[in-house]
Amino acid sequence: ALISGLADVDAIKSSVSKLSGDIYALNMVVTVIIIAMLSNTGVKFVISLINGSIDLRKVVAQGFAIIVGTGAVYLLISYLIF
């Protein structure tokens, strides 16, 4: 999920969504999608750091921090519950 998410998240979503049969499989599917999404967002963050202005970098860094923080909190809660 981490490597595949570098290029495209939609392919991961469509392939793992077929696996969501019970609550444990659903948790795994959501975790895989979040990892792929964070990976894809990280690539876009690096691209904006390389090509963006200082003002854009600040805005993108704030948004990236919120996205990564939310994903990390979900993964931590998911790990503790399941």
Side-chain angles (χ1 to χ4, degrees):
L2 183 67
I3 293 173
S4 180
L6 294 174
D8 188 19
V9 177
D10 294 331
I12 292 286
K13 289 189 298 189
S14 63
S15 64
V16 297
S17 65
K18 298 172 187 169
L19 302 174
S20 59
D22 60 13
I23 189 68
Y24 296 107
L26 180 62
N27 183 44
M28 187 263 317
V29 167
V30 171
T31 301
V32 167
I33 291 172
I34 287 177
I35 290 170
M37 183 263 320
L38 290 174
S39 171
N40 189 268
T41 303
V43 168
K44 292 174 183 176
F45 176 63
V46 170
I47 290 170
S48 69
L49 288 179
I50 293 169
N51 295 326
S53 67
I54 297 294
D55 292 333
L56 178 67
R57 291 176 190 172
K58 290 178 184 177
V59 172
V60 171
Q62 291 171 354
F64 183 72
I66 292 169
I67 291 169
V68 170
T70 304
V73 167
Y74 172 80
L75 292 175
L76 178 65
I77 291 171
S78 173
Y79 177 75
L80 294 174
I81 291 175
F82 296 103

